[in-house]
Amino acid sequence: KGVDNSRAFKVDRKMGTEEEVEEVRLKGNESFGHGDWDSAISQYTRAIELSGNSKDKRIYSNRSAAYASKAIESASSLANDLLELALKDAETAIAIDPTWPRAYQRHAVALQRLNRIEDACSAAKLGVTNSNSSDSSFPALNDLAASLEATVAASRSAAMQQDEAELARLEGNKAYAAEDWNAAISSYTQAINYLIAEGRDLDKRIYSNRSAAYVKKAEENESSLTFEYAVEDADKAIELDPDWPKAHHRKVNALMRAGKIEEAEKAMESGLERCPLEPELMKLQEELKKSKKGGDSTAPKNRGVPDAPGTKRRQRHEVAETELYDVLGLPTDATESDIKKAYYRLAQDNHPDKNKDDPGATERFQKVGQAYQVLSDPSMRDMYDAHGLQGVMQSDSYREVDPSTLFAMIFGSEKFERFVGELAMTTMMQDGDGAGAGGEAAMREKVRSKQKERIEYVQKELIQMLQPFVDGENTAFKEWATKTAIDLKTASFGEPMLWTIGYLYLTKASIFEGRGHLLGVPGMMKNMQYGGRKFNQNVGALSSAIEVMKKQKKMEEKKAAAIKAGKPLSAEEIAKMEQDLAEGTLDTMWKMSVLDIQHTLEPAIDAILLAKDVDESGVKPKKAGPIGTVKVMFGGKKKEREVRPTTRSEIAKARAAGLKLLGKVFMEHGSEEAVKNGVANINEAMAAAAAAAAGDPETSSDQM
């Protein structure tokens, strides 16, 4: 007996009446009741043909049951063919009536006998959701769904005991459900790293779920960099299974949420080509059309997506442990640029100042700093890959740096971004290393372009901040300046940053005003003093860098000499030298940051004092910037000067006066001593800042 005998059954192709069709169907039921599967199949097939491909769901459902029953008594190769036929008939019955429980039951049983237990469970659960619960066949479907779910759970439980990757994936799912995106991303990354380390096949579900978590995280933080990670994970899921609709859905959604509508449309076209008429994709397509039509974009408003890194990705290899990679949410073959970008994102997200109500933030922040310190150094990373963290910490090359100090030196504070833009070191951390395809020339051009944008941003912000003073609201302006300085003082490096910015404001404004008095001599004197200070700062930064290199060379020589003499240095002696070197390095970074601020504010201040944004008549072409109005910033208080400056010259003078006042207030709340000392007492300064912030109640910040 074979499958084809029913299909080859010779029948009269003449259409029968409804009574004839029903008679043949009942004969099939009779044969089925006697266990004569071939006869039952033949009779059901005859009924379908007599009716002209009947739309009677019962016939397809019964033939599906007959195929499945015959499969039990057949050889395995024939059994699979029969079960595939049973699946098709069950699907036809579902299509005829999507609310009929028995059709879903037939479908799930066929899948179960094909040993596709998880698919069978999904099919049964779908039936329970979609079908009519008042139908007499519903209880049987519901019982089947419960039984299959228990089987799947038991199977997974047994597998999980030996599968750390699956455990990590499920932990990610729990974190996702709790809307803890950082924890979800970390768990999914850990699951991927387990698979890579064990040389196992990668799991599309993990990449898909991590993509979804990245999107949620990006929407919270308005981070285009995190959207990029979401798209990369969706691409990886598509690579693993090009015909999986969910992977295409993830990519389109990530691109759409990032505001990349044209790219999202291309991804949608590709997805529908691979998965035509997929309901979820088609639903998302409608959302995409509305987004395009309405010009709606959820793209992050802060920074653009960095260029692709130019560094070479490491070959995947077995490592002693993956803990530090897991902390940064990276695979073990991550590039140096990947590491820098991940540190930038996670250090910002987990900084204690932004998570005052989260007792676990400090520990996460410290772990992120340690992970970056080790993995960003190629030699320490090699040592970590080979021997794990304990091996690194026992080596002479390891020196622990205070993560708060490291963060503050690299990033400064978001509170100061309006006044100085994004620090150059922050930009470098975002973009990672590598000049890319364009080489060094392209990289230099990119740096120049970003610095130009930064200067223009600071210039517009300055105009906006000074406008109330220009309009005559002097007292209100000073009150705002004082309140702002008090708030900025509590930020990382608040006092030295305040003094540096205030000094530049006051000095540049004084130079401008001095040009109009006593043949410009006061202005020239101020300019000479300022030029001398600039020269000293440049020399100081260079000297600091040279001193660091000397200390490093001296330390290595001393360690080598001690080993040669047979008296290696003690751990305490090494730690003391390394701490001294670390502080020197951070001191150099601080001095470079001061120069960076200076080189940004100078052209911005010069531009606003020249008042080129104002017509000769004194009429401004348009408002300077989008942030804050006079009413919002200063409460719309009454102006103290009735005669408003009307010419470009008068507006420039008023701006200079306002800038001097702002500079004086900032310097009063800042600290010149802190500027000179660099990072000598950084830990104490940050502790005081944290205490001040804590005591101020006004201080603020679908998966599988």
Side-chain angles (χ1 to χ4, degrees):
K1 294 181 181 180
V3 179
D4 295 337
N5 63 346
S6 64
R7 297 302 190 185
F9 186 73
K10 300 298 183 181
V11 297
D12 184 358
R13 298 295 175 182
K14 183 180 178 181
M15 296 282 289
T17 65
E18 289 184 8
E19 290 76 10
E20 289 173 327
V21 172
E22 180 64 8
E23 182 182 352
V24 174
R25 185 185 72 82
L26 292 174
K27 286 182 179 179
N29 289 357
E30 186 178 349
S31 297
F32 189 98
H34 292 114
D36 188 348
W37 315 127
D38 286 326
S39 176
I41 292 168
S42 296
Q43 295 295 343
Y44 294 139
T45 303
R46 170 73 169 162
I48 292 170
E49 291 172 343
L50 279 174
S51 64
N53 293 322
S54 171
K55 296 301 180 182
D56 188 335
K57 61 189 179 186
R58 298 173 301 170
I59 302 177
Y60 289 99
S61 170
N62 292 351
R63 192 171 68 173
S64 174
Y67 280 133
S69 298
K70 182 179 178 180
I72 297 175
E73 301 174 358
S74 303
S76 58
S77 58
L78 178 60
N80 286 341
D81 292 338
L82 288 164
L83 289 170
E84 291 293 341
L85 292 171
L87 274 180
K88 291 180 181 179
D89 275 354
E91 289 166 358
T92 303
I94 292 172
I96 294 172
D97 184 358
T99 67
W100 193 35
R102 191 175 300 283
Y104 289 102
Q105 182 185 2
R106 303 292 194 212
H107 194 217
V109 167
L111 288 167
Q112 181 184 23
R113 292 179 183 175
L114 280 166
N115 205 30
R116 293 165 56 181
I117 306 301
E118 292 201 12
D119 289 340
C121 182
S122 298
K125 289 167 69 176
L126 180 65
V128 170
T129 302
N130 293 346
S131 60
N132 181 5
S133 60
S134 63
D135 190 284
S136 61
S137 61
F138 184 83
L141 172 64
N142 196 42
D143 290 345
L144 177 62
S147 173
L148 287 169
E149 192 167 18
T151 301
V152 169
S155 176
R156 288 178 176 175
S157 178
M160 282 192 306
Q161 294 177 6
Q162 302 296 326
D163 192 344
E164 292 180 296
E166 180 65 6
L167 282 171
R169 184 184 75 84
L170 294 176
E171 282 299 315
N173 289 357
K174 288 181 183 177
Y176 187 100
E179 298 186 1
D180 187 344
W181 316 128
N182 285 333
I185 291 166
S186 178
S187 292
Y188 292 139
T189 302
Q190 196 172 40
I192 292 169
N193 286 337
Y194 280 134
L195 295 176
I196 293 172
E198 295 168 12
R200 294 162 56 191
D201 292 337
L202 297 176
D203 189 332
K204 64 185 180 183
R205 299 173 301 170
I206 303 175
Y207 285 98
S208 170
N209 292 351
R210 192 171 68 172
S211 176
Y214 275 136
V215 168
K216 295 291 187 181
K217 185 67 180 173
E219 288 181 324
E220 278 192 359
N221 295 344
E222 293 189 340
S223 170
S224 48
L225 177 64
T226 310
F227 276 121
E228 181 186 4
Y229 291 148
V231 174
E232 287 177 358
D233 273 356
D235 276 330
K236 186 63 179 179
I238 292 171
E239 178 189 326
L240 293 169
D241 186 353
D243 297 319
W244 192 34
K246 189 179 288 291
H248 294 283
H249 187 285
R250 297 293 196 213
K251 182 173 183 179
V252 175
N253 184 60
L255 289 168
M256 189 170 69
R257 302 299 173 196
K260 298 184 176 182
I261 303 302
E262 290 186 5
E263 291 183 41
E265 288 178 320
K266 291 178 181 178
M268 175 64 74
E269 184 179 345
S270 175
L272 288 175
E273 185 178 338
R274 299 297 303 226
C275 313
L277 302 178
E278 175 60 35
E280 288 301 314
L281 274 177
M282 294 177 72
K283 182 179 177 181
L284 188 61
Q285 187 180 37
E286 290 304 312
E287 187 179 341
L288 180 58
K289 288 177 181 178
K290 290 178 183 177
S291 178
K292 183 179 181 182
K293 184 177 180 180
D296 180 29
S297 172
T298 54
K301 301 173 183 176
N302 49 353
R303 307 175 183 99
V305 178
D307 291 344
T311 50
K312 184 178 180 180
R313 187 172 294 277
R314 289 189 170 200
Q315 291 294 318
R316 287 181 177 171
H317 58 288
E318 189 171 343
V319 296
E321 63 183 47
T322 63
E323 181 182 351
L324 297 186
Y325 291 102
D326 296 339
V327 167
L328 297 181
L330 295 172
T332 55
D333 63 342
T335 65
E336 292 179 19
S337 179
D338 291 336
I339 293 168
K340 286 188 175 183
K341 289 189 284 187
Y343 173 63
Y344 173 85
R345 172 174 53 83
L346 292 170
Q348 292 274 19
D349 291 345
N350 294 289
H351 196 287
D353 286 352
K354 295 176 66 176
N355 298 275
K356 291 184 172 63
D357 297 329
D358 184 356
T362 300
E363 183 181 357
R364 292 197 304 272
F365 181 68
Q366 291 171 342
K367 287 183 177 180
V368 168
Q370 183 185 51
Y372 173 71
Q373 183 187 351
V374 173
L375 299 182
S376 64
D377 184 310
S379 60
M380 273 201 281
R381 182 179 178 183
D382 288 340
M383 191 177 300
Y384 175 74
D385 287 352
H387 306 292
L389 186 57
Q390 287 301 316
V392 172
M393 296 179 71
Q394 292 171 6
S395 73
D396 291 344
S397 61
Y398 179 73
R399 55 180 185 276
E400 188 169 0
V401 178
D402 180 355
S404 295
T405 303
L406 179 65
F407 177 88
M409 290 310 311
I410 295 174
F411 302 128
S413 171
E414 289 182 350
K415 288 184 177 182
F416 280 98
E417 193 161 308
R418 186 179 182 192
F419 299 89
V420 300
E422 184 181 82
L423 293 180
M425 276 186 283
T426 306
T427 303
M428 290 169 61
M429 293 298 292
Q430 272 188 285
D431 291 347
D433 290 331
E440 292 298 327
M443 178 59 72
R444 285 194 297 270
E445 180 57 35
K446 182 179 178 182
V447 170
R448 279 195 294 269
S449 176
K450 285 199 171 187
Q451 180 64 4
K452 182 181 177 183
E453 292 175 5
R454 178 183 172 193
I455 292 169
E456 290 173 350
Y457 168 77
V458 171
Q459 178 184 330
K460 289 179 180 179
E461 291 298 309
L462 264 176
I463 293 171
Q464 186 73 21
M465 286 186 283
L466 293 171
Q467 192 58 43
F469 184 91
V470 174
D471 290 340
E473 299 182 13
N474 300 20
T475 302
F477 178 81
K478 186 173 182 180
E479 290 174 1
W480 167 82
T482 303
K483 184 178 179 181
T484 300
I486 292 171
D487 180 50
L488 292 174
K489 188 176 180 178
T490 65
S492 299
F493 276 66
E495 290 189 4
M497 289 277 281
L498 268 175
W499 197 93
T500 299
I501 296 168
Y503 174 80
L504 286 166
Y505 285 170
L506 177 62
T507 304
K508 295 294 287 184
S510 298
I511 291 171
F512 177 83
E513 289 184 338
R515 292 171 180 169
H517 301 284
L518 299 175
L519 300 177
V521 172
M524 285 189 291
M525 293 297 294
K526 279 281 184 184
N527 205 11
M528 289 174 64
Q529 293 171 2
Y530 178 61
R533 184 180 181 89
K534 279 174 61 177
F535 175 77
N536 290 336
Q537 286 175 336
N538 279 282
V539 171
L542 180 60
S543 300
S544 180
I546 293 172
E547 186 64 25
V548 167
M549 288 188 286
K550 285 182 178 179
K551 283 183 178 179
Q552 187 171 18
K553 184 178 179 181
K554 184 178 180 180
M555 182 181 73
E556 297 302 328
E557 289 175 347
K558 191 172 181 179
K559 286 163 68 176
I563 293 172
K564 188 176 181 179
K567 297 180 180 179
L569 298 175
S570 67
E572 291 77 11
E573 290 174 310
I574 294 174
K576 185 177 180 180
M577 287 191 296
E578 290 177 342
Q579 182 63 30
D580 183 42
L581 180 62
E583 289 185 357
T585 302
L586 294 174
D587 185 59
T588 301
M589 292 171 70
W590 163 244
K591 289 176 179 176
M592 294 298 290
S593 293
V594 171
L595 291 177
D596 177 41
I597 293 169
Q598 180 178 288
H599 293 157
T600 301
L601 290 190
E602 279 183 347
I605 293 171
D606 289 341
I608 69 154
L609 294 181
L610 289 173
K612 289 186 177 180
D613 59 303
V614 180
D615 292 342
E616 289 293 347
S617 63
V619 179
K620 293 174 66 178
K622 62 179 181 178
K623 290 184 179 180
I627 301 179
T629 63
V630 173
K631 185 175 182 181
V632 171
M633 290 171 60
F634 301 97
K637 295 186 178 181
K638 185 177 179 181
K639 298 176 182 178
E640 300 161 27
R641 183 171 61 243
E642 294 301 328
V643 181
R644 183 184 178 188
T646 57
T647 67
R648 177 186 287 177
S649 175
E650 290 173 346
I651 290 173
K653 288 178 180 178
R655 286 178 178 176
L659 197 63
K660 281 183 67 176
L661 176 57
L662 186 58
K664 288 177 180 178
V665 172
F666 276 18
M667 289 177 72
E668 287 171 3
H669 290 83
S671 168
E672 183 178 12
E673 193 65 25
V675 177
K676 293 177 180 178
N677 290 342
V679 295
N681 300 305
I682 184 59
N683 291 327
E684 291 83 350
M686 289 192 69
D696 181 7
E698 299 298 322
T699 303
S700 57
S701 250
D702 139 82
Q703 72 183 124
M704 290 185 66

